[in-house]
Amino acid sequence: MPMQASEIEDLIRAAFPDAHIVVEGNDGVHMAAMVEDASFKGMNRVQQQRAVYAALKGKMDGANGELHALALTTRAPA
């Protein structure tokens, strides 16, 4: 069953409660998310994105994942 933007945001928000999060996409399979959080300071982009993918709790794992593709932008606040 495809995931909705609100479900993705809820999973990310659970791990990053103070983050600025924007999730877009309307097909439930190919989505885009922007996550800005202070906890990303000192992390490189790969580390930031791994942290967000971990928050998705396996929803993108393999062919049986509920979310096929997530274009992810991460950053620490300026």
Side-chain angles (χ1 to χ4, degrees):
M1 178 174 188
M3 293 186 73
Q4 300 302 311
S6 61
E7 294 174 279
I8 296 167
E9 182 174 347
D10 289 346
L11 288 169
I12 296 171
R13 176 95 37 224
F16 303 97
D18 298 322
H20 174 67
I21 302 168
V22 178
V23 181
E24 299 175 329
N26 60 5
D27 69 0
V29 179
H30 299 89
M31 310 290 281
M34 189 287 301
V35 182
E36 181 178 297
D37 191 71
S39 70
F40 294 152
K41 285 190 185 234
M43 291 182 173
N44 65 40
R45 188 167 304 191
V46 171
Q47 292 168 322
Q48 293 172 12
Q49 292 186 358
R50 282 182 180 158
V52 174
Y53 285 128
L56 295 175
K57 301 181 183 197
K59 300 294 185 183
M60 289 191 68
D61 290 353
N64 297 321
E66 295 175 53
L67 183 60
H68 174 70
L70 179 66
L72 186 56
T73 302
T74 57
R75 63 178 176 240

Coordinates of all heavy atoms in Angstrom, one line a residue:
M1 N 0.8 -1.2 0.0 CA 0.0 0.0 0.0 C 0.9 1.2 0.0 O 1.8 1.4 0.8 CB -0.9 0.0 1.2 CG -1.8 1.2 1.4 SD -2.9 0.9 2.8 CE -3.9 2.3 2.6
P2 N 0.7 2.2 -0.9 CA 1.5 3.3 -1.0 C 1.4 4.2 0.2 O 0.4 4.3 0.8 CB 1.0 4.1 -2.3 CG 0.3 3.1 -3.0 CD -0.2 2.1 -2.0
M3 N 2.5 4.9 0.5 CA 2.5 5.9 1.6 C 2.0 7.2 1.2 O 2.3 7.7 0.1 CB 3.9 6.0 2.2 CG 4.4 4.7 2.9 SD 5.9 4.9 3.7 CE 5.4 5.9 5.1
Q4 N 1.4 7.9 2.1 CA 1.0 9.3 1.9 C 2.0 10.2 2.5 O 2.8 9.9 3.4 CB -0.4 9.6 2.5 CG -1.5 8.7 2.0 CD -1.7 8.8 0.5 OE1 -1.8 9.9 0.0 NE2 -1.7 7.7 -0.2
A5 N 2.0 11.5 2.0 CA 3.0 12.4 2.5 C 2.9 12.6 4.0 O 3.9 12.8 4.7 CB 2.8 13.8 1.7
S6 N 1.7 12.6 4.5 CA 1.5 12.8 6.0 C 2.2 11.7 6.8 O 2.7 11.9 7.9 CB 0.1 13.0 6.3 OG -0.7 11.8 6.0
E7 N 2.1 10.5 6.2 CA 2.7 9.3 6.9 C 4.2 9.4 7.0 O 4.9 9.1 8.0 CB 2.3 8.0 6.2 CG 0.8 7.7 6.3 CD 0.5 6.5 5.5 OE1 0.4 6.6 4.3 OE2 0.5 5.4 6.1
I8 N 4.8 9.9 5.8 CA 6.2 10.1 5.8 C 6.7 11.1 6.7 O 7.6 11.0 7.5 CB 6.7 10.4 4.3 CG1 6.3 9.2 3.4 CG2 8.1 10.8 4.3 CD1 6.4 9.5 1.9
E9 N 5.9 12.3 6.7 CA 6.3 13.3 7.6 C 6.2 12.9 9.1 O 7.0 13.2 9.9 CB 5.3 14.6 7.4 CG 5.7 15.7 8.3 CD 4.9 17.0 8.0 OE1 4.3 17.1 7.0 OE2 5.0 17.9 8.9
D10 N 5.1 12.1 9.4 CA 5.0 11.7 10.8 C 6.2 10.8 11.3 O 6.7 10.9 12.4 CB 3.7 10.8 11.0 CG 2.4 11.7 10.9 OD1 2.5 12.9 11.0 OD2 1.3 11.1 10.7
L11 N 6.7 9.9 10.4 CA 7.8 9.1 10.7 C 9.1 9.9 10.9 O 9.8 9.7 11.9 CB 8.1 8.0 9.6 CG 7.1 6.9 9.5 CD1 7.3 6.1 8.3 CD2 7.2 6.0 10.8
I12 N 9.3 10.9 10.0 CA 10.4 11.8 10.2 C 10.3 12.6 11.4 O 11.3 12.8 12.2 CB 10.6 12.6 8.9 CG1 10.9 11.7 7.7 CG2 11.7 13.6 9.1 CD1 10.9 12.4 6.3
R13 N 9.1 13.2 11.7 CA 8.9 14.0 12.8 C 9.1 13.3 14.1 O 9.6 13.9 15.1 CB 7.5 14.6 12.8 CG 7.1 15.4 13.9 CD 7.2 16.9 13.9 NE 6.9 17.5 12.6 CZ 7.7 18.4 12.1 NH1 8.8 18.8 12.7 NH2 7.3 19.0 10.9
A14 N 8.9 12.0 14.2 CA 9.1 11.2 15.4 C 10.6 11.2 15.7 O 11.0 11.2 16.9 CB 8.6 9.8 15.2
A15 N 11.4 11.2 14.7 CA 12.9 11.2 15.0 C 13.5 12.6 15.1 O 14.5 12.8 15.7 CB 13.6 10.4 13.8
F16 N 12.8 13.5 14.4 CA 13.3 14.9 14.4 C 12.2 15.9 14.8 O 11.7 16.6 13.9 CB 13.9 15.3 13.0 CG 15.0 14.3 12.5 CD1 14.7 13.3 11.7 CD2 16.3 14.5 13.0 CE1 15.7 12.4 11.3 CE2 17.3 13.6 12.5 CZ 17.0 12.6 11.7
P17 N 11.8 15.9 16.0 CA 10.6 16.7 16.4 C 10.7 18.2 16.2 O 9.6 18.8 16.0 CB 10.5 16.4 17.9 CG 11.8 15.8 18.4 CD 12.4 15.2 17.2
D18 N 11.9 18.7 16.2 CA 12.0 20.2 16.0 C 12.4 20.6 14.6 O 12.6 21.7 14.3 CB 13.0 20.8 17.0 CG 12.6 20.5 18.4 OD1 11.4 20.6 18.7 OD2 13.5 20.2 19.2
A19 N 12.4 19.6 13.7 CA 12.8 19.9 12.3 C 11.8 20.6 11.5 O 10.6 20.6 11.7 CB 13.1 18.6 11.6
H20 N 12.3 21.3 10.5 CA 11.4 21.9 9.4 C 11.3 20.8 8.4 O 12.3 20.4 7.8 CB 12.0 23.2 8.9 CG 11.2 23.7 7.7 ND1 9.9 24.2 7.9 CD2 11.5 23.8 6.4 CE1 9.5 24.6 6.7 NE2 10.4 24.4 5.8
I21 N 10.1 20.3 8.1 CA 9.9 19.2 7.2 C 8.9 19.5 6.1 O 7.8 20.0 6.5 CB 9.5 17.9 8.0 CG1 10.5 17.5 9.0 CG2 9.3 16.7 7.0 CD1 10.0 16.5 10.0
V22 N 9.2 19.3 4.9 CA 8.3 19.4 3.8 C 8.3 18.2 3.0 O 9.4 17.8 2.5 CB 8.6 20.7 2.9 CG1 7.7 20.8 1.7 CG2 8.7 21.9 3.7
V23 N 7.2 17.5 2.8 CA 7.1 16.3 2.0 C 6.1 16.6 0.9 O 5.0 17.0 1.1 CB 6.6 15.1 2.9 CG1 6.5 13.8 2.0 CG2 7.5 14.8 4.0
E24 N 6.5 16.2 -0.3 CA 5.7 16.5 -1.5 C 5.6 15.2 -2.3 O 6.5 14.3 -2.3 CB 6.3 17.6 -2.3 CG 6.4 18.9 -1.6 CD 7.1 20.0 -2.4 OE1 8.0 19.6 -3.2 OE2 6.8 21.2 -2.2
G25 N 4.6 15.2 -3.2 CA 4.4 14.0 -4.1 C 2.9 13.6 -4.0 O 2.3 13.7 -2.9
N26 N 2.4 13.2 -5.1 CA 1.0 12.9 -5.1 C 0.7 11.4 -5.5 O -0.5 11.1 -5.6 CB 0.2 13.9 -5.9 CG 0.7 13.9 -7.4 OD1 1.5 13.1 -7.8 ND2 0.1 14.8 -8.1
D27 N 1.7 10.7 -5.9 CA 1.4 9.3 -6.3 C 1.5 8.2 -5.3 O 1.2 7.1 -5.5 CB 2.2 9.0 -7.6 CG 3.7 8.8 -7.3 OD1 4.1 8.9 -6.2 OD2 4.4 8.5 -8.3
G28 N 2.0 8.6 -4.1 CA 2.2 7.7 -3.0 C 3.3 6.8 -3.1 O 3.6 5.9 -2.3
V29 N 4.1 6.9 -4.2 CA 5.2 6.0 -4.4 C 6.5 6.8 -4.6 O 7.5 6.5 -4.0 CB 5.0 5.1 -5.7 CG1 6.2 4.2 -5.9 CG2 3.7 4.3 -5.5
H30 N 6.5 7.8 -5.4 CA 7.7 8.7 -5.7 C 7.4 10.0 -5.0 O 6.5 10.7 -5.4 CB 7.8 8.9 -7.2 CG 8.1 7.6 -7.9 ND1 7.1 6.8 -8.4 CD2 9.2 6.9 -8.2 CE1 7.6 5.8 -9.0 NE2 8.9 5.8 -8.9
M31 N 8.2 10.2 -4.0 CA 8.0 11.4 -3.1 C 9.3 12.2 -3.0 O 10.4 11.7 -3.3 CB 7.5 11.0 -1.7 CG 6.4 10.0 -1.7 SD 4.8 10.7 -2.2 CE 4.4 11.5 -0.8
A32 N 9.2 13.4 -2.5 CA 10.3 14.3 -2.2 C 10.2 14.8 -0.8 O 9.0 15.2 -0.4 CB 10.4 15.4 -3.2
A33 N 11.3 14.9 -0.1 CA 11.2 15.5 1.3 C 12.4 16.4 1.5 O 13.5 16.1 1.0 CB 11.2 14.4 2.3
M34 N 12.2 17.5 2.2 CA 13.2 18.4 2.7 C 13.2 18.4 4.2 O 12.1 18.6 4.8 CB 13.0 19.8 2.1 CG 14.2 20.8 2.3 SD 14.4 21.4 4.0 CE 12.9 22.1 4.4
V35 N 14.3 18.1 4.8 CA 14.4 18.1 6.3 C 15.5 19.0 6.7 O 16.7 18.8 6.3 CB 14.6 16.6 6.8 CG1 14.7 16.6 8.3 CG2 13.6 15.7 6.2
E36 N 15.2 20.0 7.5 CA 16.2 20.9 8.1 C 16.2 20.7 9.6 O 15.1 21.0 10.2 CB 15.9 22.3 7.7 CG 16.9 23.3 8.2 CD 16.6 24.7 7.7 OE1 16.6 25.0 6.5 OE2 16.3 25.6 8.6
D37 N 17.3 20.3 10.2 CA 17.3 20.1 11.6 C 18.7 20.4 12.2 O 19.7 20.1 11.6 CB 17.0 18.6 11.9 CG 16.7 18.4 13.4 OD1 15.7 18.8 13.8 OD2 17.6 17.7 14.0
A38 N 18.7 21.0 13.4 CA 19.9 21.4 14.0 C 20.8 20.2 14.3 O 22.0 20.3 14.4 CB 19.6 22.2 15.3
S39 N 20.2 19.0 14.5 CA 21.0 17.8 14.8 C 22.0 17.5 13.6 O 22.9 16.7 13.8 CB 20.2 16.6 15.2 OG 19.5 16.2 14.0
F40 N 21.7 18.0 12.5 CA 22.6 17.7 11.3 C 23.9 18.5 11.3 O 24.8 18.2 10.5 CB 21.8 18.0 10.0 CG 20.6 17.2 9.7 CD1 19.6 17.6 9.0 CD2 20.6 15.9 10.2 CE1 18.5 16.8 8.7 CE2 19.5 15.0 10.0 CZ 18.4 15.5 9.2
K41 N 24.0 19.5 12.2 CA 25.3 20.3 12.3 C 26.5 19.3 12.5 O 26.4 18.5 13.4 CB 25.2 21.3 13.4 CG 24.4 22.5 13.0 CD 24.5 23.6 14.0 CE 23.5 24.7 13.6 NZ 24.0 26.0 13.4
G42 N 27.5 19.5 11.7 CA 28.7 18.7 11.8 C 28.6 17.3 11.1 O 29.6 16.6 11.0
M43 N 27.4 17.0 10.5 CA 27.3 15.8 9.7 C 27.5 16.1 8.2 O 27.0 17.2 7.8 CB 25.9 15.2 9.9 CG 25.5 14.6 11.2 SD 23.8 13.9 11.0 CE 23.7 13.1 12.6
N44 N 28.0 15.2 7.5 CA 28.0 15.4 6.0 C 26.7 15.0 5.5 O 25.8 14.4 6.2 CB 29.2 14.7 5.4 CG 29.1 13.2 5.5 OD1 28.0 12.6 5.4 ND2 30.2 12.5 5.7
R45 N 26.4 15.2 4.2 CA 25.1 15.0 3.6 C 24.7 13.5 3.7 O 23.6 13.2 3.9 CB 25.1 15.4 2.1 CG 23.8 15.4 1.5 CD 23.7 16.1 0.2 NE 24.1 17.5 0.5 CZ 24.0 18.5 -0.3 NH1 23.5 18.3 -1.5 NH2 24.4 19.7 0.0
V46 N 25.7 12.6 3.5 CA 25.4 11.2 3.6 C 24.9 10.8 5.0 O 23.9 10.1 5.1 CB 26.6 10.3 3.1 CG1 26.4 8.9 3.4 CG2 26.9 10.5 1.7
Q47 N 25.6 11.3 6.0 CA 25.2 11.0 7.4 C 23.8 11.6 7.7 O 23.0 10.9 8.3 CB 26.2 11.6 8.3 CG 27.6 10.9 8.3 CD 28.6 11.7 9.0 OE1 28.7 13.0 9.0 NE2 29.5 11.0 9.7
Q48 N 23.5 12.8 7.2 CA 22.2 13.4 7.4 C 21.1 12.5 6.7 O 20.1 12.2 7.4 CB 22.2 14.8 6.8 CG 23.0 15.8 7.4 CD 23.1 17.1 6.7 OE1 22.3 17.3 5.8 NE2 24.0 17.9 7.1
Q49 N 21.4 12.1 5.5 CA 20.4 11.3 4.8 C 20.2 9.9 5.4 O 19.1 9.4 5.5 CB 20.7 11.3 3.3 CG 20.5 12.6 2.7 CD 20.7 12.7 1.2 OE1 20.9 11.6 0.5 NE2 20.5 13.8 0.6
R50 N 21.2 9.3 5.9 CA 21.1 8.0 6.5 C 20.3 8.1 7.8 O 19.5 7.2 8.1 CB 22.5 7.5 6.9 CG 23.2 6.9 5.7 CD 24.6 6.3 6.1 NE 25.2 5.7 5.0 CZ 26.5 5.5 4.9 NH1 27.3 5.8 6.0 NH2 27.1 5.0 3.9
A51 N 20.4 9.2 8.5 CA 19.6 9.5 9.7 C 18.1 9.6 9.4 O 17.3 9.0 10.0 CB 20.1 10.7 10.4
V52 N 17.8 10.2 8.3 CA 16.4 10.4 7.8 C 15.9 9.0 7.3 O 14.8 8.6 7.7 CB 16.2 11.4 6.8 CG1 14.8 11.5 6.2 CG2 16.6 12.8 7.3
Y53 N 16.7 8.3 6.6 CA 16.2 7.0 6.1 C 16.0 6.0 7.3 O 15.1 5.2 7.2 CB 17.2 6.4 5.1 CG 17.2 7.0 3.7 CD1 18.3 7.5 3.1 CD2 16.0 7.1 3.0 CE1 18.3 8.1 1.9 CE2 15.9 7.7 1.8 CZ 17.0 8.2 1.2 OH 17.0 8.8 0.0
A54 N 16.8 6.1 8.3 CA 16.6 5.3 9.5 C 15.3 5.6 10.1 O 14.6 4.7 10.7 CB 17.8 5.5 10.5
A55 N 14.9 6.9 10.1 CA 13.6 7.3 10.7 C 12.4 6.7 9.9 O 11.3 6.6 10.5 CB 13.5 8.8 10.7
L56 N 12.6 6.3 8.7 CA 11.5 5.7 7.9 C 11.3 4.3 8.3 O 10.3 3.6 7.7 CB 11.8 5.9 6.4 CG 11.9 7.3 5.9 CD1 12.3 7.4 4.5 CD2 10.5 8.0 6.1
K57 N 12.1 3.7 9.1 CA 11.8 2.4 9.7 C 11.5 1.3 8.7 O 10.6 0.5 8.8 CB 10.7 2.5 10.7 CG 11.0 3.4 11.8 CD 10.0 3.5 12.9 CE 10.4 4.6 13.9 NZ 9.7 4.6 15.1
G58 N 12.4 1.2 7.7 CA 12.3 0.1 6.7 C 11.2 0.3 5.7 O 11.0 -0.6 4.9
K59 N 10.5 1.4 5.6 CA 9.5 1.6 4.6 C 10.0 1.7 3.2 O 9.3 1.6 2.2 CB 8.7 2.9 4.9 CG 8.0 2.9 6.2 CD 6.9 1.9 6.3 CE 6.2 2.0 7.7 NZ 5.2 1.0 7.9
M60 N 11.4 1.8 3.0 CA 12.0 1.9 1.7 C 12.8 0.6 1.4 O 13.5 0.5 0.4 CB 12.9 3.1 1.5 CG 12.1 4.4 1.5 SD 13.1 5.8 1.0 CE 13.5 5.3 -0.7
D61 N 12.7 -0.4 2.3 CA 13.5 -1.6 2.1 C 13.1 -2.5 1.0 O 12.0 -3.1 1.1 CB 13.6 -2.4 3.4 CG 14.3 -1.6 4.5 OD1 14.9 -0.6 4.2 OD2 14.3 -2.1 5.7
G62 N 13.9 -2.7 0.0 CA 13.7 -3.7 -1.0 C 12.5 -3.5 -1.8 O 11.8 -2.5 -1.8
A63 N 12.2 -4.5 -2.6 CA 11.1 -4.5 -3.5 C 9.7 -4.4 -2.8 O 8.7 -4.1 -3.4 CB 11.1 -5.7 -4.4
N64 N 9.7 -4.9 -1.6 CA 8.4 -4.9 -0.8 C 8.2 -3.6 0.0 O 7.2 -3.6 0.8 CB 8.4 -6.1 0.1 CG 8.4 -7.4 -0.7 OD1 7.8 -7.5 -1.7 ND2 9.2 -8.4 -0.2
G65 N 9.1 -2.6 -0.1 CA 8.9 -1.4 0.6 C 7.7 -0.6 0.2 O 7.3 -0.7 -1.0
E66 N 7.1 0.1 1.1 CA 5.9 0.9 0.8 C 6.2 2.1 0.0 O 5.4 2.7 -0.6 CB 5.2 1.3 2.1 CG 4.6 0.1 2.9 CD 4.0 0.5 4.2 OE1 3.2 1.4 4.2 OE2 4.4 -0.1 5.2
L67 N 7.5 2.6 0.1 CA 7.9 3.8 -0.6 C 9.0 3.4 -1.5 O 10.0 2.9 -1.1 CB 8.4 4.8 0.5 CG 8.8 6.2 0.0 CD1 7.7 6.9 -0.7 CD2 9.3 7.0 1.2
H68 N 8.7 3.6 -2.8 CA 9.7 3.2 -3.8 C 10.8 4.2 -4.0 O 12.0 3.8 -4.1 CB 9.0 3.1 -5.2 CG 9.9 2.8 -6.3 ND1 10.5 1.6 -6.4 CD2 10.3 3.6 -7.3 CE1 11.3 1.6 -7.5 NE2 11.2 2.8 -8.1
A69 N 10.5 5.5 -4.0 CA 11.6 6.5 -4.2 C 11.3 7.7 -3.3 O 10.2 8.2 -3.3 CB 11.7 6.9 -5.6
L70 N 12.3 8.3 -2.7 CA 12.2 9.5 -2.0 C 13.4 10.4 -2.3 O 14.6 10.1 -2.0 CB 12.2 9.2 -0.5 CG 12.1 10.4 0.4 CD1 10.8 11.2 0.3 CD2 12.3 10.0 1.9
A71 N 13.1 11.5 -3.0 CA 14.2 12.5 -3.3 C 14.4 13.3 -2.0 O 13.4 13.9 -1.6 CB 13.8 13.4 -4.5
L72 N 15.5 13.2 -1.4 CA 15.7 13.7 -0.1 C 16.8 14.9 -0.1 O 17.9 14.7 -0.6 CB 16.2 12.6 0.8 CG 16.4 12.9 2.3 CD1 15.1 13.4 2.9 CD2 16.8 11.6 3.0
T73 N 16.4 16.0 0.5 CA 17.2 17.1 0.7 C 17.3 17.3 2.2 O 16.3 17.4 2.9 CB 16.7 18.4 0.0 OG1 16.5 18.2 -1.3 CG2 17.6 19.6 0.2
T74 N 18.6 17.4 2.7 CA 18.8 17.6 4.1 C 19.7 18.7 4.3 O 20.6 19.0 3.5 CB 19.3 16.3 4.8 OG1 20.5 16.0 4.2 CG2 18.3 15.2 4.8
R75 N 19.6 19.4 5.5 CA 20.5 20.5 5.8 C 20.3 20.9 7.3 O 19.3 20.7 7.9 CB 20.4 21.7 4.9 CG 19.0 22.3 5.0 CD 18.9 23.6 4.1 NE 17.6 24.1 4.1 CZ 16.8 24.2 3.0 NH1 17.2 23.8 1.9 NH2 15.6 24.7 3.2
A76 N 21.4 21.5 7.8 CA 21.3 22.1 9.1 C 20.9 23.6 8.9 O 21.2 24.2 7.9 CB 22.7 22.0 9.8
P77 N 20.2 24.2 9.9 CA 19.9 25.6 9.8 C 21.1 26.4 9.6 O 22.2 26.1 10.2 CB 19.2 25.9 11.1 CG 18.8 24.6 11.7 CD 19.8 23.6 11.1
A78 N 21.0 27.5 8.9 CA 22.1 28.5 8.7 C 22.4 29.2 10.0 O 21.7 29.3 10.9 CB 21.7 29.5 7.6

